[in-house]
Amino acid sequence: MKHRITLFTILLYYSIFVLPVFSEPRLFGGLHGDFITPVHYNLNDYDSKAFDYGFGGELEGGFYFGKFSTGLIGGYSFTKTGELVEKMSDIKLGLEMGFDFDKDILSFMPTWLAIRPNVAGYGNYFKSEGYRTKSRKILDQKKEESAFSYLVEGGIALDFVNLFKYKGFDIVPVIAYNEIFRPEEDGHIFSGKVSIGVRFLHLMPKRKNREPIVNTEGGGSLSVFAKTNLDLFSPNGDDVDDIIIFDVESDADEHGGIASWELRIYDPGRKIFYTEKGKGELPKDYTWNGTGSKGELVESGCEYQYVWYVKANDGADGYMPGIIETDVMLKEEDGILSFTLSSIQFGPNSAKFDNLDEEKIKHNNDLFDTVARLLKQYEDYTITIEGHANNVSGTEAEHIKELLPLSQARAETVKEELVQRGIKAERLIPVGRGSEKMIAKTKDEAWRNRRVEFYLEKKD
């Protein structure tokens, strides 16, 4: 019994205290139906099919931390006539853990599939009715027996991911097979279980940690108002729209004045790019030059979200988010002009704009319009269009087989869009670089690797 308690304690400890450290949590819930293979006793060298196949169902709920999942699972099952027991039913409740191996880890996997090894420990209440002799004659049809026991399950699940979404939920069909073991002092009882069901995943809000707010309406018990002076921000050193100015106000005077304030600016990957805090009154005409906390400059043609947080002396607080749009910004080095765009949206693993919503399609069109207007100012320049991609597996095979042709196709798509906007085709040279020039190594900055670079070189 001691080793059973130890196993459950380890699972519980890692689920509550260790896994949450690794990643932002997502809630999940699920339900599935079970087909249970015949259950066998293997006790004191006695091997028998105690009862036949059965059916059941289970409900589950818990959290994903990155690719780890853990949660509670409970279920009910019943079995048909067997060699020793006339009827058997059981109710169980326990803790499960799994880990998804998807394309991020196994490069050969399709984007719609993940393999999830999982293990679960249960407390189990079962009831048997009627016993049989070896000749299958009912020995005592009315005799009932019930008891509590401990079960362990382990197996493999196939999760069909990235296929269905509805109102912020990922809907994941699941097919799984698990082996079930009930440890006993002199042996064990075992069977198998085939499950078909579905999981529903939803990202947990993390307001306490002040993650980026993706709307543009304020909130909280304190009213906060913020706006900027520019439609397009272009901090490229040409003294035109190089500085953005924030005009921020609040009704904190009705709450005893301002205790503290904070400005956070998030990059297109929703990671904090710049932050500043202060105490007392809000700054008047707060200025920002586009430089992040680590000294890097904003990217061309991107959206950066800002949020002003204000707290009053009486404890009331509020926030106001907004969007900063950056212009296409040229830079010059060794006589060659260039600019980079990380915000062109393509369909997943596609060079087209498949399955994009209207907002993303409009963003692309606006961006291509801006680029075309810029390039028309440099008629005597040829333009090399370089497509770049993010290598998920880090392997040469992915670079050669997948990313080189994908980035080449995306560069050609960009060329087609610019030709449609009046740029002569002979000026445009599309090149696919794959992942040979990755500039970001972490997952939360992978968006910087999926980019298109433009190089303008004057004709001889």
Side-chain angles (χ1 to χ4, degrees), residues 339 341-346 350-353 364 367-369 371-372 375 383-388 406-425 428-431 451-454:
F339 61 93
L341 296 178
S342 303
S343 58
I344 299 175
Q345 302 286 323
F346 295 95
S350 170
K352 303 300 181 183
F353 308 127
N364 282 348
L367 204 54
F368 290 134
D369 290 344
V371 172
L375 296 183
I383 302 103
T384 301
I385 305 170
E386 290 192 356
H388 297 265
L406 177 62
S407 60
Q408 178 69 37
R410 286 180 171 177
E412 290 172 356
T413 296
V414 173
K415 174 183 176 179
E416 293 172 7
E417 292 290 334
L418 295 176
V419 170
Q420 292 175 15
R421 288 164 171 81
I423 307 300
K424 295 179 181 179
L428 304 172
I429 306 168
V431 178
R451 67 191 188 278
V452 180
E453 295 181 351
F454 298 79

Side-chain angles (χ1 to χ4, degrees), residues 174-457:
V174 178
I175 299 175
Y177 177 77
N178 286 278
E179 288 284 341
I180 306 172
F181 298 90
R182 180 185 298 153
E184 299 287 346
E185 294 295 334
D186 301 315
H188 59 269
I189 299 169
F190 61 94
S191 66
K193 182 181 74 177
V194 178
S195 302
I196 299 177
V198 64
R199 274 186 168 183
F200 303 90
L201 280 67
H202 186 63
L203 184 67
M204 289 182 63
K206 294 186 67 178
R207 294 290 298 279
K208 287 187 176 180
N209 290 334
R210 293 184 175 174
E211 289 300 302
I213 300 166
V214 294
N215 60 44
T216 55
E217 297 181 359
S221 56
L222 188 70
S223 295
V224 181
F225 311 93
K227 62 181 181 179
T228 66
N229 65 320
L230 297 176
D231 293 326
L232 285 175
F233 184 34
S234 179
N236 58 353
D238 62 357
D239 295 327
V240 178
D241 297 332
D242 279 349
I243 300 295
I244 196 165
I245 302 173
F246 292 92
D247 181 11
V248 192
E249 299 177 357
S250 78
D251 63 352
D253 288 343
E254 300 175 11
H255 298 269
I258 295 175
S260 62
W261 57 268
E262 180 180 2
L263 168 64
R264 287 194 177 192
I265 298 175
Y266 297 88
D267 68 21
R270 301 303 181 194
K271 183 180 178 182
I272 293 176
F273 182 76
Y274 173 84
T275 184
E276 185 168 349
K277 300 177 182 180
K279 295 185 180 296
E281 292 300 315
L282 285 166
K284 184 175 177 59
D285 294 337
Y286 184 92
T287 61
W288 184 53
N289 63 2
T291 303
S293 299
K294 296 180 180 178
E296 67 276 48
L297 192 65
V298 292
E299 302 265 356
S300 287
C302 289
E303 290 186 351
Y304 287 74
Q305 185 171 42
Y306 67 83
V307 186
W308 281 92
Y309 299 95
V310 180
K311 187 170 184 178
N313 286 316
D314 66 355
D317 59 5
Y319 61 88
M320 186 65 197
I323 299 294
I324 300 170
E325 293 190 39
T326 59
D327 202 354
V328 176
M329 297 180 289
L330 278 171
K331 61 181 180 181
E332 183 177 358
E333 186 174 349
D334 297 330
I336 298 177
L337 299 173
S338 67
F339 61 93
T340 300
L341 296 178
S342 303
S343 58
I344 299 175
Q345 302 286 323
F346 295 95
N349 299 309
S350 170
K352 303 300 181 183
F353 308 127
D354 308 326
N355 302 318
L356 297 183
D357 58 39
E358 292 183 4
E359 184 178 349
K360 290 179 180 178
I361 291 174
K362 182 181 183 303
H363 171 80
N364 282 348
N365 287 332
D366 291 345
L367 204 54
F368 290 134
D369 290 344
T370 300
V371 172
R373 285 195 299 270
L374 176 65
L375 296 183
K376 288 176 181 178
Q377 300 174 30
Y378 296 87
E379 292 288 349
D380 53 348
Y381 283 73
T382 58
I383 302 103
T384 301
I385 305 170
E386 290 192 356
H388 297 265
N390 183 56
N391 194 321
V392 175
S393 66
T395 62
E396 186 70 13
E398 182 180 356
H399 167 68
I400 295 174
K401 295 180 180 179
E402 298 181 34
L403 302 183
L404 277 177
L406 177 62
S407 60
Q408 178 69 37
R410 286 180 171 177
E412 290 172 356
T413 296
V414 173
K415 174 183 176 179
E416 293 172 7
E417 292 290 334
L418 295 176
V419 170
Q420 292 175 15
R421 288 164 171 81
I423 307 300
K424 295 179 181 179
E426 57 267 24
R427 295 179 58 202
L428 304 172
I429 306 168
V431 178
R433 296 296 187 189
S435 58
E436 67 183 45
K437 293 183 179 180
M438 289 177 59
I439 57 178
K441 302 299 183 183
T442 59
K443 189 174 181 180
D444 56 3
E445 291 186 334
W447 61 274
R448 299 179 64 207
N449 293 327
R450 303 182 186 98
R451 67 191 188 278
V452 180
E453 295 181 351
F454 298 79
Y455 292 92
L456 286 69
E457 191 168 2

